[in-house]
């Protein structure tokens, strides 16, 4: 070897992973000097090995390298500096240890393995100086903290002037000499012969130490993750050690197994923290390792027990879920989320939503109020129909479940996840214009989910809320709520009349218009609005019926009307939208996912049922599930309803006004008489109802062909059966037709052949659109006759003048119904825009403007009598 002038003539190479103090002590013994003598020899007079073992100064490192030839990186690796900020904390200005990032131990003492000291002539690794070192992976023993004789940390690496001379011996002073005299004499106990506690290779302690070793050896890029796991292990470890003194009787079996493996002795604890010895570190870390990493059968039970131990340390009243989970925040979000998940069943619905504790990923609420306000704009006031179907339980009870309040409550709950505590349920509801806070909340928790598991609801709503924050939504519901009201929504009455003409529907009056506006408003805002101020007592019921029975063509018309309203306000958004189902995972739906139902199958079912409850029973769902599905998929039953308007068998003024194309008189006559097409075929070509085609042919005085039986004789349809069901039981002909699977026409044709009287439907031809008038009716006449009861209105009003009073006129022309006649006259005058009958005159007489009106009305009635269809 080539030696420099400053190089020591004798070389002692460090062992792999050796501590700097161990190497200096070995070097000093090799040179037959003390640690201080060695340092003076290399030029470090006054230096202290205990400080150098923490971190070398530049002068110290250069001096050691120059004298021994050991490279600087190797010297640095022998100190605690590589572990600074990970396993230990070295004071930045003074070379001393403070509390480590994780664990309580902060002294400079060294643990040891007797077998390692024996094999390596008293030398040992720097790893023994770390608070996380508790087991020897080479000899499978528990590390020791104290000398077996003096019961103090032994300092086995110090070479002293007074000895001991042997390696691996305790260098601490023994204050009691052999003859009982006091003095400074070395303890000199042979540490290699200290009693040991063997550890099983298949046990729990060695895997925990191996995991710690791997973490502490992490590269620079992996140190943050390693430190996070060390903090988690410590957070679990000290609670587990505390729990052995508080709730040990409720501990799972693995706790007793680990305690036995570590010697069967309970850990020593102080009032402030857990003990500093290897026994405590081994037991606590072992239990923490099992609780943190899945794989052991008691993994979950151990974590629950540690949570219980943590609760036992809380001296006040039982803490809520936020307070208990917040105690884990020091260790990072992972344990906070896990503790939230385990504490979830004990929390209220508000807390479960705020912390998302029922979802696959619980999280600490960190969102600001501004974020919640932005989320409110993405949420309708009532939960989307598809998600309501999923979260609404399949209840058998047909009582009033307040599903509307349930939907409002769920939407309000969507604003709780992640939000600040001041935005509680009472304050977030008004952000969606939901002001019935207590009713909505009670509907969710005490009515719909009474005695039911709230976990699916809490999980789904929390996941939906965070997904909306991440992905957004294509609809700004806040803008729609502010834009569209009963007063602001536009409805095209003329387009509706044309639609009614095509399908042979009665257009209805103000009530039906209000109903259509209500549905239009629901499409635009995603909300079921209360009835308008002038609605009758049956309006809400009719709205519910409309959702189930509205014909497909009417639904399509209203959707187009809604899209026109959006375009009119410059809103470029889809009309309706729902969050995708994959946004929510890990939930078993209390209701049913709409994606499971096949629209065609549901449509076929609805064509055979007579009520929404019958459809619900057939699918095992509630009636509201059926209505929600109709809203979502735009399907409905084919059963007619008075809420929508039954088909009219007669020509209407609107039908006469739009007779063009196939419905033009010449074209219609050619298709029916020359091409011999059936009414149903013509109706399909014209996109209308067969009844409309029939009415137009009658109006054009085209003889109708007798219709042959379309179905073969049915033994289950007899005169006796039809008379009993239709005449005696007064059942509806349409209902009987559906029951036997035949057409309405087939049954009525048989009834007429069997001389059974057909009950009148009171669909009399009563309009003026077909009349060939030689003049354009006045605006007043046009307004009054813009009704299916046009001729009845005119017939009534022209008979009133000349009677002494309204009461007298009622007895003469209105079956004595005084109030009904007064009401009808008032409606006619309101439509005309002026008073027609002068009530102050005796007898009753027309006003000046009323005189012209009655004269024109009389002429129209005369023409109507001449041109009334023969079928009437």
């Amino acid at each position: 070897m080539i030696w420099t002038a400053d190089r020591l003539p004798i070389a002692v190479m460090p062992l792999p992973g050796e501590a700097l103090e161990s190497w200096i002590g070995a070097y000093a013994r090799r040179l037959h000097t003390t640690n201080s003598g060695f340092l003076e020899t290399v030029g470090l007079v006054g230096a202290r090995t205990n400080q150098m073992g923490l971190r070398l100064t530049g002068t110290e490192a250069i001096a050691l390298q120059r004298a021994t030839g050991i490279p600087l990186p190797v010297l640095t690796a022998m100190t605690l500096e590589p572990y600074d900020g990970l396993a230990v904390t070295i004071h930045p200005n003074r070379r001393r240890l403070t509390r480590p990032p994780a664990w309580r131990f902060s002294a400079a003492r060294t643990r040891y393995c007797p077998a390692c000291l024996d094999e390596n002539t008293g030398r040992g690794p720097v790893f023994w100086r770390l608070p996380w070192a508790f087991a020897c992976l080479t000899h499978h023993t528990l590390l020791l903290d104290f000398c077996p004789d003096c019961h103090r940390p032994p300092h086995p690496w110090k070479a002293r002037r007074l000895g001991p001379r042997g390696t691996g011996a305790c260098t601490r002073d023994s204050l009691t000499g052999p003859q009982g005299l006091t003095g400074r004499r070395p303890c000199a106990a042979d540490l290699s012969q200290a009693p040991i506690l063997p550890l099983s290779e298949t046990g729990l302690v060695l895997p925990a130490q191996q995991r710690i070793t791997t973490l502490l050896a992490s590269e620079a890029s992996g140190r943050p993750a390693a430190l996070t796991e060390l903090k988690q292990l410590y957070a679990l470890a000290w609670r587990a050690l505390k729990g052995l003194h508080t709730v040990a009787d409720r501990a799972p079996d693995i706790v007793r197994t680990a305690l036995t493996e570590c010697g069967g002795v309970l850990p020593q604890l102080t009032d402030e923290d857990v003990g500093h010895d290897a026994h405590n570190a081994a037991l606590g870390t072992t239990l923490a390792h099992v609780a943190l990493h899945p794989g052991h059968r008691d993994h979950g039970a151990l974590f629950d027990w540690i949570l219980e131990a943590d609760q036992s340390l809380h001296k006040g009243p039982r803490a809520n879920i936020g307070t208990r989970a917040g105690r884990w925040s020091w260790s990072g979000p992972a344990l906070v989320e896990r503790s939230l998940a385990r504490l979830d069943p004990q929390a209220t619905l508000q807390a479960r939503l705020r912390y998302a504790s029922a979802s696959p990923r619980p999280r600490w609420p960190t969102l600001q109020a501004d974020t919640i306000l932005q989320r409110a704009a993405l949420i309708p006031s009532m939960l989307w129909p598809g998600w309501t179907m999923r979260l609404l339980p399949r209840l058998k009870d047909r009582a009033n479940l307040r599903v509307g309040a349930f939907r409002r409550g769920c939407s309000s709950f969507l604003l709780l996840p992640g939000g600040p505590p001041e935005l509680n349920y009472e304050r977030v509801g008004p952000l969606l214009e939901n002001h019935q806070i207590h009713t909505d909340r009670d509907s969710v928790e005490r009515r719909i989910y009474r005695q039911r598991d709230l976990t699916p609801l809490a999980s789904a709503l929390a996941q939906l809320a965070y997904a909306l924050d991440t992905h957004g939504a294509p609809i700004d519901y806040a803008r729609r709520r502010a834009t569209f009201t009963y007063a602001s929504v536009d409805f095209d009455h003329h387009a509706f009349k044309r639609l009614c003409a095509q399908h042979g529907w009665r257009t209805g009056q103000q009530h039906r218009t209000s109903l259509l506006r209500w549905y239009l408003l629901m499409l635009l805002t995603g909300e079921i609005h209360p009835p308008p101020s002038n609605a009758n007592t049956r309006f809400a019921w009719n709205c519910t019926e409309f959702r189930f029975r509205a014909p497909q063509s009417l639904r399509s018309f209203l959707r187009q009307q809604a899209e026109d309203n959006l375009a009119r306000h410059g809103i470029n958004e889809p009309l309706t939208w729902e969050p995708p189902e994959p946004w929510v995972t890990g939930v078993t739906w209390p209701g049913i996912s709409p994606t499971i139902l096949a629209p065609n199958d549901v449509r076929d079912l609805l064509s055979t049922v007579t009520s929404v409850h019958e459809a619900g029973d057939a699918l095992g769902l509630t009636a509201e599930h059926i209505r929600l599905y109709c809203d979502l998929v735009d399907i409905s039953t084919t059963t007619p309803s008075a809420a929508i308007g039954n088909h009219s068998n007669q020509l209407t003024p609107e039908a006469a006004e739009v007779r063009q194309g196939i419905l033009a008189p010449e074209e219609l006559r050619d298709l029916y008489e020359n091409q011999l097409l059936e009414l149903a075929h013509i109706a399909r070509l014209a996109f209308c109802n067969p009844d409309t085609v029939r009415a137009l042919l009658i109006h054009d005085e085209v003889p109708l062909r007798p219709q042959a039986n379309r179905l073969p004789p049915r033994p289950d349809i007899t005169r006796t059966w039809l008379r009993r069901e239709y005449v005696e039981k007064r059942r509806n002909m349409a209902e009987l037709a559906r029951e036997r699977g035949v057409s309405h026409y087939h049954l009525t044709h048989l009834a007429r052949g069997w001389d059974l009287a057909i009950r009148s439907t009171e669909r009399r031809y009563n309009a003026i659109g077909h009349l060939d008038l030689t003049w354009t009716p006045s605006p007043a006449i046009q307004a009054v006759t813009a009704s299916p009861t046009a001729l009845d209105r005119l017939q009534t009003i022209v008979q009133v003048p000349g009677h002494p009073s309204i009461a007298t006129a009622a007895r003469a022309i209105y079956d004595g119904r005084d109030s009904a006649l007064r009401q009808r006259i008032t409606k006619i005058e309101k439509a005309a825009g002026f008073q027609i009958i002068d009530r102050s005159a005796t007898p009753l007489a027309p006003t000046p403007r009323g005189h012209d009106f009655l004269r024109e009305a009389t002429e129209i009635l005369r023409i109507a009598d001449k041109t009334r269809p023969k079928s009437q």
Side-chain angles (χ1 to χ4, degrees):
M1 297 177 65
I2 299 176
W3 299 88
T4 63
D6 297 328
R7 179 75 177 271
L8 293 175
I10 297 176
V12 176
M13 302 304 295
L15 300 176
E18 187 176 8
L20 185 68
E21 300 99 311
S22 173
W23 174 69
I24 290 176
Y27 223 130
R29 287 188 177 90
R30 181 69 180 82
L31 297 177
H32 299 283
T33 184
T34 63
N35 286 14
S36 299
F38 170 78
L39 295 177
E40 291 176 0
T41 302
V42 300
L44 297 175
V45 179
R48 296 181 179 181
T49 55
N50 60 338
Q51 292 181 341
M52 296 172 63
L54 302 183
R55 181 192 296 123
L56 291 172
T57 65
T59 302
E60 292 168 344
I62 293 173
L64 287 176
Q65 181 188 29
R66 182 174 60 246
T68 64
I70 304 301
L72 288 178
V74 176
L75 291 172
T76 300
M78 297 167 69
T79 68
L80 292 181
E81 184 176 3
Y83 300 98
D84 186 24
L86 182 62
V88 296
T89 300
I90 304 174
H91 195 285
N93 300 321
R94 301 172 58 190
R95 281 189 293 178
R96 65 180 182 83
L97 291 176
T98 61
R99 180 162 185 158
W103 210 262
R104 179 66 178 87
F105 175 75
S106 60
R109 74 189 187 198
T110 300
R111 294 170 183 152
Y112 66 95
C113 168
C116 288
L117 292 177
D118 186 49
E119 289 182 2
N120 299 316
T121 62
R123 301 167 72 176
V126 68
F127 184 76
W128 287 354
R129 294 207 59 189
L130 303 178
W132 290 102
F134 51 81
C136 177
L137 297 177
T138 303
H139 300 100
H140 302 163
T141 62
L142 195 68
L143 296 182
L144 302 180
D145 291 90
F146 306 104
C147 169
D149 287 356
C150 67
H151 307 293
R152 289 181 294 172
H155 297 174
W157 300 326
K158 184 180 295 185
R160 299 176 57 192
R161 179 176 59 84
L162 298 177
R165 302 301 179 188
T167 60
C170 178
T171 61
R172 296 298 295 267
D173 289 335
S174 177
L175 301 181
T176 302
Q179 291 80 25
L181 301 176
T182 60
R184 292 177 62 83
R185 296 179 178 84
C187 173
D190 187 357
L191 300 178
S192 65
Q193 300 303 313
I196 61 173
L197 178 65
L199 300 173
S200 172
E201 295 184 28
T202 59
L204 301 171
V205 178
L206 292 178
Q209 182 67 87
Q210 182 59 59
R211 179 59 183 170
I212 293 294
T213 303
T214 302
L215 292 174
L216 296 180
S218 300
E219 299 292 337
S221 60
R223 283 173 64 97
L227 179 59
T228 297
E229 184 169 338
L230 288 174
K231 287 184 175 182
Q232 293 171 359
L233 289 170
Y234 175 60
L236 291 165
W238 75 262
R239 288 173 169 86
L241 294 173
K242 290 281 189 180
L244 287 171
H245 290 267
T246 56
V247 290
D249 57 325
R250 296 190 287 275
D253 293 338
I254 191 174
V255 176
R256 286 179 284 275
T257 302
L259 184 61
T260 301
E261 189 175 344
C262 292
V265 180
L266 285 176
Q268 296 180 358
L269 306 179
T270 67
D271 293 338
E272 296 180 357
D273 212 325
V274 298
H276 309 156
D277 59 344
H279 175 270
N280 279 24
L283 181 58
T285 306
T286 297
L287 293 176
H289 180 258
V290 174
L292 185 63
H293 299 285
H296 195 280
R297 62 182 179 85
D298 285 340
H299 165 73
L302 179 58
F303 187 83
D304 291 342
W305 176 76
I306 293 175
L307 282 178
E308 186 179 2
D310 183 58
Q311 175 63 23
S312 68
L313 302 176
H314 189 75
K315 298 180 181 179
R318 190 168 186 86
N320 58 36
I321 181 175
T323 302
R324 295 182 64 182
R327 289 166 57 86
W328 299 84
S329 59
W330 170 84
S331 61
L335 283 185
V336 173
E337 294 174 4
R338 189 174 173 193
S339 62
L340 286 172
R342 306 301 289 194
L343 295 170
D344 172 71
Q346 308 171 24
T348 63
L349 179 58
Q350 283 200 70
R352 300 175 79 178
L353 288 169
R354 184 165 182 261
Y355 297 99
S357 55
S359 69
R361 187 196 165 190
R363 60 191 80 184
W364 193 258
T366 58
L367 301 181
Q368 301 299 318
D370 290 344
T371 303
I372 304 303
L373 291 175
Q374 294 173 9
R375 186 192 299 167
L378 309 178
I379 300 173
S381 298
M382 301 179 70
L383 191 66
W384 298 277
W387 287 95
T388 306
M389 289 183 65
R390 295 178 179 96
L391 297 175
L392 180 65
R394 306 186 191 191
L395 303 171
K396 295 182 179 180
D397 186 14
R398 291 185 180 179
N400 180 18
L401 299 177
R402 296 183 182 173
V403 179
F406 170 76
R407 295 178 65 184
R408 292 180 183 275
C410 288
S411 281
S412 298
F413 277 131
L414 276 174
L415 297 179
L416 293 181
E422 59 269 17
L423 281 182
N424 56 17
Y425 183 81
E426 287 72 16
R427 293 179 179 174
V428 297
L431 299 179
L432 302 177
E433 297 185 5
N434 291 337
H435 300 286
Q436 301 295 328
I437 305 299
H438 299 292
T439 301
D440 298 346
R441 183 174 178 179
D442 288 349
S443 180
V444 175
E445 298 185 74
R446 300 181 184 178
R447 187 179 291 267
I448 302 296
Y449 272 82
R450 182 182 181 184
Q451 298 180 344
R452 288 180 174 271
D453 184 14
L454 285 164
T455 300
L457 179 71
S459 177
L461 293 181
Q463 293 184 68
L464 270 180
Y466 281 110
L468 283 170
D469 294 341
T470 302
H471 304 289
I475 295 179
D476 184 347
Y477 288 99
R479 176 172 58 183
R480 293 200 185 184
R481 285 190 287 268
T483 303
F484 298 109
T485 62
Y486 277 115
S488 64
V489 69
D490 289 325
F491 180 72
D492 191 340
H493 291 275
H494 295 292
F496 174 61
K497 291 179 180 179
R498 290 192 295 270
L499 178 72
C500 292
Q502 290 179 356
H503 294 274
W505 300 333
R506 292 178 175 176
T507 57
Q509 299 183 12
Q510 182 62 38
H511 170 77
R512 191 161 302 150
T513 302
S514 299
L515 178 62
L516 298 178
R517 283 182 172 273
W518 171 87
Y519 191 83
L520 182 58
L521 196 57
M522 185 185 75
L523 289 175
L524 288 167
T525 62
E527 177 185 1
I528 295 179
H529 289 261
S533 57
N534 60 345
N536 60 31
T537 56
R538 297 278 290 175
F539 187 85
W541 180 88
N542 286 336
C543 291
T544 304
E545 280 289 286
F546 189 91
R547 295 170 56 204
F548 174 64
R549 300 189 186 277
Q552 175 62 42
S553 53
L554 183 55
R555 288 180 183 269
S556 299
F557 168 78
L558 291 172
R559 289 185 69 88
Q560 184 59 52
Q561 288 286 299
E563 291 174 354
D564 292 344
N565 272 268
L566 292 177
R568 193 173 294 111
H569 288 84
I571 300 177
N572 186 20
E573 296 174 350
L575 177 59
T576 58
W577 172 85
E578 291 216 351
E581 185 169 335
W583 280 10
V584 174
T585 59
V587 174
T588 301
W589 303 122
I592 186 173
S593 172
T595 58
I596 296 177
L597 300 175
N600 290 334
D601 294 343
V602 178
R603 187 178 288 106
D604 292 342
L605 172 66
L606 296 184
S607 67
T608 62
V609 299
T610 58
S611 71
V612 66
H613 294 290
E614 185 179 348
D617 293 341
L619 294 174
L621 303 173
T622 68
E624 187 61 21
H625 279 107
I626 303 300
R627 298 187 189 101
L628 289 166
Y629 191 73
C630 291
D631 294 339
L632 188 66
V633 188
D634 270 353
I635 62 175
S636 60
T637 180
T638 58
T639 306
S641 168
I644 290 88
N646 297 328
H647 288 159
S648 173
N649 289 327
Q650 303 299 334
L651 180 65
T652 64
E654 293 78 15
E657 292 174 0
V658 297
R659 293 193 63 182
Q660 53 187 349
I662 292 176
L663 296 180
E666 297 78 12
E667 181 69 14
L668 182 61
R669 182 183 294 272
D670 177 68
L671 292 173
Y672 186 76
E673 290 187 335
N674 302 330
Q675 301 184 34
L676 301 179
L677 296 183
E678 293 291 335
L679 299 181
H681 189 178
I682 299 173
R684 284 195 297 271
L685 294 176
F687 299 98
C688 67
N689 192 277
D691 290 337
T692 299
V693 178
R694 180 188 301 276
L696 293 174
L697 290 173
I698 293 175
H699 175 263
D700 295 339
E701 299 183 356
V702 176
L704 298 180
R705 297 190 298 268
Q707 298 183 4
N709 289 336
R710 297 181 181 178
L711 295 177
R714 293 277 296 272
D716 57 337
I717 301 178
T718 63
R719 185 183 188 281
T720 303
W721 170 82
L722 188 58
R723 187 179 189 283
R724 181 180 68 251
E725 298 296 326
Y726 181 73
V727 179
E728 297 176 2
K729 294 184 178 181
R730 309 292 290 179
R731 293 181 62 188
N732 185 276
M733 189 69 77
E735 178 183 359
L736 296 174
R738 285 193 301 273
E739 180 177 297
R740 286 296 189 261
V742 297
S743 67
H744 184 280
Y745 171 81
H746 184 78
L747 274 189
T748 55
H749 181 75
L750 291 177
R752 289 190 179 95
W754 289 333
D755 294 325
L756 298 178
I758 305 298
R759 293 194 292 271
S760 173
T761 60
E762 298 183 355
R763 292 175 177 170
R764 298 182 297 104
Y765 178 74
N766 200 235
I768 68 170
H770 69 290
L771 301 180
D772 185 14
L773 302 179
T774 59
W775 75 96
T776 300
S778 64
I781 288 292
Q782 292 181 22
V784 171
T785 58
S787 165
T789 59
L791 294 179
D792 279 349
R793 282 184 161 192
L794 299 181
Q795 188 68 40
T796 300
I797 197 68
V798 299
Q799 297 182 71
V800 172
H803 293 280
S805 64
I806 298 294
T808 305
R811 288 192 293 271
I813 65 174
Y814 223 67
D815 298 329
R817 294 175 296 162
D818 183 6
S819 60
L821 179 60
R822 293 177 186 276
Q823 185 178 17
R824 185 154 205 181
I825 294 174
T826 300
K827 288 184 177 180
I828 294 173
E829 291 178 337
K830 184 177 181 179
F834 54 84
Q835 186 177 5
I836 299 174
I837 304 299
D838 184 2
R839 277 80 160 175
S840 62
T842 304
L844 298 175
T847 63
R849 296 184 65 182
H851 180 79
D852 295 335
F853 179 90
L854 294 179
R855 179 172 49 78
E856 186 175 5
T858 303
E859 181 62 18
I860 290 175
L861 290 173
R862 185 185 64 78
I863 297 174
D865 288 339
K866 291 184 178 181
T867 59
R868 184 175 299 277
K870 297 178 180 179
S871 60
Q872 293 296 319

